[in-house]
Amino acid sequence: MTASASAARPARPYTRRISPIERGYLNAAATGTPQLIQMVLDGEGWIDPDALQKAVRAATLATPGLAVRRRAASWRADGPFPPVVGLPRAPGFDASFFHRDLDVVTGPVCEVGVAEGDVTRLVVRASHIVTDGRGLRQWIADVFRVLRGEEPIGAASMVDDTHFRAAAGKVRAAPQPPRLGGLPPVLGRGRPDGTPLWTRRRVRACPSAVTARVAAAVSRHLATGSGRVIIPVDLRRHDPAVRSTANLTSRLVLDIRRDDDWKRLQGQIVGALLHKRDVAVLDGDFLRGNPFANSLREARELDGTRFPATAIITDHGRIDTDDYRTERFRPTGFFTLPMLVPYAEMFLSACRIGDATELTLACRARPGAREAGELLLDDVERALAAAD
């Protein structure tokens, strides 16, 4: 084969298998609960819509995992590019944009919304079935690199969780958490209406061990003597050189007691990470061998009145807002709108920006939920501020 013929040969198309982790999210989505990541970037200045659309396209060419569609048992990057749409200037999150699902069969699996006003707001939504928080932030950073006239770094790796299982080396089997019969709701009473209720709080503190401190604050609101917390863990920690937008989020399961101590919980978390429990759970069936719902039927029976888990708590760590800066746009805030999960009552998300921690609590709208959520965030704020 000549050099010219070799150069003319098309590159291998981005295709990867649907991993067991991603099948678990497909199962959750089949219950009618959208599995979405929503990241919100507020700032001062202006982002040109046409330039943004071109930057989205360039970043996606370098990161094809954000333009996939489901093809049988695989993802294939033959889907539409993420569209850029205008958003109403209303400050809340009642617009349909924040609540509609993204179809992984037809695409797009990602979209960008922009609202202009006193604050310019950029909202990036992506299906959590195909990506995770780290992967999506890599793509957003590439969009802003292009807006600044730089080349995108890209994330074209087609590995899945099996790569990180091998990279982790020897891992001892993890004990299987026992099934819980169902924990009563903490936030409000009565049957939920199925829509998410988001409550935000900015805390002027950036302590260590945020996840453990938040879990301890949650424990003070348990309706019974015990509860259960799920902690997402990024598998990329076992091979940081890999740049991938796949859903590479495993989990730790942490049982908590009423009025628990954050130091005890932090010890449990650190010990689980040292023993690579996030990898050990991959040796089982991530979809069926879990302590929450082992079938679509079981997942659909979770009607929002009792839960196998109290909360999901995720810490996105420190966000470098310089990654999202241009000559005309200066970021002033970054937070997420966590999704509802069939088997967990609430989802708490944290990220650190400057000298503050941004918190968002997601739960099901029901009578008394907003008031109870504010009281819980009061306790979380006190726990974080006292540690600073």
Side-chain angles (χ1 to χ4, degrees), residues 96-290:
S96 61
F97 175 84
F98 297 100
H99 299 274
R100 68 190 184 208
D101 205 353
L102 295 171
D103 193 325
V104 298
V105 175
T106 64
V109 297
C110 178
E111 63 182 349
V112 180
V114 182
E116 296 179 349
D118 295 337
V119 173
T120 295
R121 170 163 287 176
L122 189 76
V123 183
V124 181
R125 309 172 78 241
S127 172
H128 207 341
I129 302 171
V130 303
T131 191
D132 59 12
R134 177 64 62 83
L136 188 59
R137 290 203 311 275
Q138 289 176 347
W139 179 80
I140 299 172
D142 263 356
V143 170
F144 276 86
R145 285 187 182 96
V146 177
L147 287 172
R148 292 192 297 266
E150 304 168 11
E151 289 295 318
I153 296 176
S157 173
M158 291 180 273
V159 303
D160 56 29
D161 49 67
T162 58
H163 168 84
F164 298 92
R165 172 63 185 87
K170 185 177 180 180
V171 177
R172 290 187 297 179
Q176 180 75 3
R179 278 289 189 101
L180 297 181
L183 299 165
V186 172
L187 305 178
R189 293 292 180 267
R191 191 171 293 276
D193 65 11
T195 59
L197 174 65
W198 290 301
T199 308
R200 289 184 56 209
R201 186 74 57 92
R202 173 174 279 197
V203 180
R204 291 293 180 183
C206 289
S208 61
V210 168
T211 300
R213 296 178 195 272
V214 172
V218 170
S219 76
R220 291 191 278 276
H221 294 256
L222 294 175
T224 59
S226 62
R228 176 165 286 172
V229 169
I230 302 163
I231 302 170
V233 179
D234 183 3
L235 290 169
R236 294 173 186 81
R237 74 189 188 99
H238 300 288
D239 188 356
V242 172
R243 287 183 60 87
S244 168
T245 56
N247 186 341
L248 298 170
T249 299
S250 186
R251 63 168 184 259
L252 301 178
V253 177
L254 184 67
D255 287 333
I256 60 176
R257 307 187 292 251
R258 187 196 295 274
D259 299 325
D260 220 328
D261 178 69
W262 75 265
K263 293 181 180 178
R264 186 192 79 85
L265 297 177
Q266 178 67 1
Q268 295 281 314
I269 294 169
V270 171
L273 291 173
L274 288 174
H275 287 94
K276 305 177 185 177
R277 295 282 171 79
D278 55 318
V279 175
V281 300
L282 302 178
D283 285 338
D285 188 326
F286 196 92
L287 174 59
R288 304 185 188 284
N290 69 70

